[in-house]
Amino acid sequence: MSLKDYQDPGSCPFKRPALSEMCEETRTLHQSIDGFAQKSGERWLHPESITLTKDLLGGRHMQSWQEQKGALSMLGEDCWSTLPQVYARYATEPGRELIKAICRLENAKGVIVTDCGMQATAIVMDTLLKPNTHALISRQVYNKSKAYLDWSAQRIDVRPQVIDEITPETLREFATTDTVLVFTETYSNPLMHALDLEGLSKAVVELRKEQAPKLRLVVDNTIVTPWGVQSPVLDLPGVHLVVSAGTKALGGEDKDMWGYIASNIIDLINPCMDTQAMRGGVLSWRSAQVIHAGLDQAESHFRKRCQSADAVVEFLLSHPKVSEVFHPSVPSHPHRKIIDSQYALGGSLMSFRVNGLTEEQTSHFCDVLAMTIVPRYALSFDGLVTKLNHHKTVSEFYGLEAMLKKQGIDRLVRLGVGTENPADIIACLNWALWHFESVSAQDVEAWQDEREMALRPS
């Protein structure tokens, strides 16, 4: 039996694909990661270093963590920062050099580097939002961005408005003389919708002349990156600020947490700098030094992941067990014209649905797929390894299924493609798609227990 037997979407061997049979680059990567886990006593996702997120093995550990978080939050007995790590964001001269590099990447006049991407978003919101003002935000943006806007609104009497999608049409419909912030993302997570940057820029310039003179458009470009657009986002006169979680692609190895704010309006970036000086969130010099030194490799990693993601998407679209795939490379993408004219890369992140599965069955599928080892069940994306998770368990744990279905984000498998050979990722996906139903929940738990024991120090 060869690896090619696992890559035919029409059939697949019953036996789970073995890591020992995979390509050298994939095998070496994952065996080295396992070796470091055994040596360090923790399941990190890098062969030589502690990383920002761990191999969770499957949804069971994530669900337990979510339940503990909920209990601590409701009982008020302790801070949930005391919980075990699943992602590190929960728990200088080098900086100046990094700022210069980001200015070049974004074609920006000013950049602020922060200790995480959410810090960048929070600084921008704290700077722009004033009492008795109005803010628009896309429903599709990162949950914590929406939550921070809502929390800010309760403190300073801001009127937040969540709309399904930020487009030139919705902007003209909902912007008012009191609108000071419009916040959106280039590609959305998990449905990978694409923002019409050029159309929005024209609408903002028009609206600021009379209808909404205080409006500022802030674009989160984390998933796309400066490498993934055809021209710098800040070249558009209607885009006032770009924020990004450099933790993802611009770090590229799950080792360094950081973010940045970029702008071509000095009178706008300086107040953001004043806010950071008062509240903190400055990137450490050690982090800045390492990040700056690794930017070239981060770009090559990102381009490889994007190319591999396109191959994985093509495979999933051909598979009889897959009903829907969400990624910018999908030919029938609803924003096909926008992507072709304004974007250069599709990104490494995607989501998909397996035919006929319930939410619970989708969660089980993710656990079974994690048993192949190559896709690791973990949070975040754009690291060395391919990561998967069940969207509801990780991002919408307390969301009602009816609401998730209404928003079109129910029953989703989320996959962040890594630097492995794409043929190996495809082989693992194909095995899980054909055989997950024959693997019981008890089989999954037994494997997780065995895997946990195997990765302990010998």
Side-chain angles (χ1 to χ4, degrees), residues 57-121:
L57 304 178
R60 180 172 56 143
H61 294 300
M62 188 67 207
Q63 182 170 333
S64 173
W65 186 90
Q66 295 276 25
E67 289 170 347
Q68 291 177 69
K69 174 190 171 185
L72 290 177
S73 299
M74 287 186 290
L75 296 175
E77 294 176 349
D78 202 354
C79 177
W80 61 269
S81 63
T82 60
L83 291 174
Q85 178 184 335
V86 294
Y87 186 36
R89 192 184 55 75
Y90 296 134
T92 97
E93 284 303 312
R96 290 174 64 185
E97 292 304 310
L98 179 59
I99 283 170
K100 290 177 185 177
I102 300 303
C103 281
R104 289 192 294 269
L105 278 176
E106 292 285 2
N107 198 27
K109 292 180 179 178
V111 163
I112 300 170
V113 289
T114 62
D115 57 6
C116 71
M118 193 59 223
Q119 186 77 262
T121 294

Side-chain angles (χ1 to χ4, degrees), residues 33-44 55 57 60-61 448-458:
I33 287 171
D34 286 357
F36 184 69
Q38 291 162 341
K39 179 180 178 181
S40 67
E42 298 286 354
R43 298 185 302 275
W44 304 115
D55 182 358
L57 304 178
R60 180 172 56 143
H61 294 300
Q448 291 176 3
D449 291 340
E450 291 172 5
R451 181 79 172 145
E452 198 163 4
M453 288 292 293
L455 295 179
R456 288 180 180 176
S458 54

Side-chain angles (χ1 to χ4, degrees), residues 28-29 31-37 44-49 51 384:
T28 300
L29 172 62
Q31 288 174 344
S32 299
I33 287 171
D34 286 357
F36 184 69
W44 304 115
L45 299 181
H46 192 279
E48 299 173 350
S49 172
T51 51
L384 289 178

Side-chain angles (χ1 to χ4, degrees), residues 30 45 50 61 74 77 101 108 125 130 148 153 179-180 204 208 220 294 312 320 361 381 430 436 441 451 458:
H30 286 271
L45 299 181
I50 292 171
H61 294 300
M74 287 186 290
E77 294 176 349
M125 289 188 181
K130 308 294 181 187
Y148 193 83
T179 303
V180 294
V204 168
R208 279 178 56 85
D220 185 333
V312 171
Q361 290 169 332
F381 55 95
N430 199 31
F436 78 96
R451 181 79 172 145
S458 54

Side-chain angles (χ1 to χ4, degrees), residues 193 330 332-337:
H193 288 183
V330 174
S332 60
H333 194 290
H335 302 140
R336 181 78 272 141
K337 290 182 179 179

